[in-house]
Amino acid sequence: MTNKKIIACLDIDNRRVVKGKKFQDVKELADPLELAKKYEAEGADELVFYDISASVQQRGMFLDLIRQIAEDIEIPFIVGGGIQSLSDVELAIEAGADKVSINSGALKNPNLIEEASERYGASRIILSMDVSGTAREKWTVFAKAGLEDTGMDAIEWAKKGEQLGAGEIVLNCIDEDGMRNGYNLELTQAVSDAVAIPVVASGGAGSADDIREVFEKTGAQAALVASVLHFGLVSIPDLKQAVRSVSNEQ
């Protein structure tokens, strides 16, 4: 096992860190700059900034806030939300993003992944997928922060994203988001099996054991963590220890 990562996630709305459950009942929690510095100091491998309302509100990114965070941290910084065009990708990178995560914009225009990958390199372009469904039904991809069911098969969309040039996939299970019951292992493994690029498990972390389990039982290369960190239920050092324990067993 190599380079398994813990990625701290800041969901942003109204310039504040927020969190809900299954993309609903979203509440403001904290200042994003403070949390960004805190999570870097605690040992997060990467930090992701998701503007969860930019696409829904059809507005631009909070570029000044992105610049502030980028200036104050040194770990890889991922920016997503409201990325609708190649110029948006450029703006995010100019503001300090090391990687750009594209979700609704790619569903609307799949060629955006290809164009961005060709210009900036696949390693800087992430396909973000919000997925809902059960193993007995088709896993489908949602747009606009989980509000719009596209009807698109998640496995096929992951494959398409890789073909278009995405260098990584963030796979967020809407059904587990904020529930702290653990990641959707079956979905995570299915997508990991379908593509050769790294898959980041997202949605459902409730403990260090959940981190250990997703790395032991799926092909995920990283785990995205949000609410359990924000509410102080687990620390990044605890999660890093879980990663090391898996590495020692393999």
Side-chain angles (χ1 to χ4, degrees):
M1 186 192 75
T2 59
N3 300 323
K4 300 286 190 180
K5 297 182 294 187
I6 300 298
I7 302 176
C9 178
L10 305 181
D11 291 317
I12 306 296
D13 189 18
N14 194 30
R15 307 176 71 88
R16 298 281 291 175
V17 176
V18 300
K19 195 59 190 170
K21 293 182 179 180
K22 300 184 179 182
F23 288 22
Q24 303 296 318
D25 193 27
V26 175
K27 294 181 174 61
E28 289 190 6
L29 297 178
D31 174 72
L33 187 57
E34 290 180 5
L35 285 189
K37 292 188 286 188
K38 177 177 185 286
Y39 294 153
E40 179 183 40
E42 291 180 353
D45 296 298
E46 297 185 6
L47 180 78
V48 60
F49 175 112
Y50 278 138
D51 188 334
I52 65 170
S53 58
S55 291
V56 176
Q57 296 175 0
Q58 297 184 333
R59 59 165 173 77
M61 297 167 281
F62 296 128
L63 292 172
D64 59 329
L65 184 54
I66 292 169
R67 288 191 192 95
Q68 275 188 296
I69 295 174
E71 289 171 359
D72 280 4
I73 65 171
E74 296 182 0
I75 57 176
F77 183 35
I78 303 162
V79 171
I83 307 292
Q84 301 292 329
S85 66
L86 195 59
S87 62
D88 289 333
V89 176
E90 182 178 8
L91 286 171
I93 288 175
E94 287 179 347
D98 297 294
K99 303 178 187 179
V100 177
S101 180
I102 308 174
N103 191 328
S104 295
L107 290 166
K108 184 177 180 180
N109 174 24
N111 289 334
L112 177 56
I113 295 287
E114 185 174 27
E115 293 168 359
S117 180
E118 288 178 354
R119 177 171 295 189
Y120 296 105
S123 64
R124 302 189 75 174
I125 305 303
I126 298 171
L127 174 63
S128 178
M129 299 170 51
D130 293 327
V131 179
S132 182
T134 70
R136 293 180 297 277
E137 301 170 0
K138 188 171 73 169
W139 286 306
T140 57
V141 179
F142 281 65
K144 297 182 180 179
L147 295 176
E148 181 181 300
D149 186 352
T150 68
M152 187 180 299
D153 180 77
I155 305 302
E156 294 306 313
W157 180 230
K159 292 178 181 178
K160 181 68 172 178
E162 180 180 35
Q163 292 169 2
L164 289 169
E168 195 170 337
I169 290 174
V170 170
L171 177 65
N172 188 43
C173 180
I174 295 172
D175 308 292
E176 300 299 337
D177 180 75
M179 300 304 293
R180 304 176 196 159
N181 294 322
Y183 298 93
N184 186 322
L185 302 179
E186 188 173 6
L187 172 61
T188 304
Q189 185 58 48
V191 173
S192 298
D193 286 342
V195 300
I197 57 178
V199 173
V200 180
S202 174
S207 67
D209 286 340
D210 293 333
I211 300 294
R212 184 180 299 109
E213 184 177 50
V214 79
F215 287 150
E216 285 179 339
K217 297 183 178 180
T218 79
Q221 292 298 304
L224 198 110
V225 188
S227 64
V228 288
L229 295 181
H230 304 337
F231 291 106
L233 302 178
V234 69
S235 70
I236 290 175
D238 290 338
L239 302 182
K240 299 289 285 187
Q241 179 57 43
V243 174
R244 286 191 291 270
S245 70
V246 175
S247 181
N248 291 336
E249 291 169 2
Q250 296 185 348

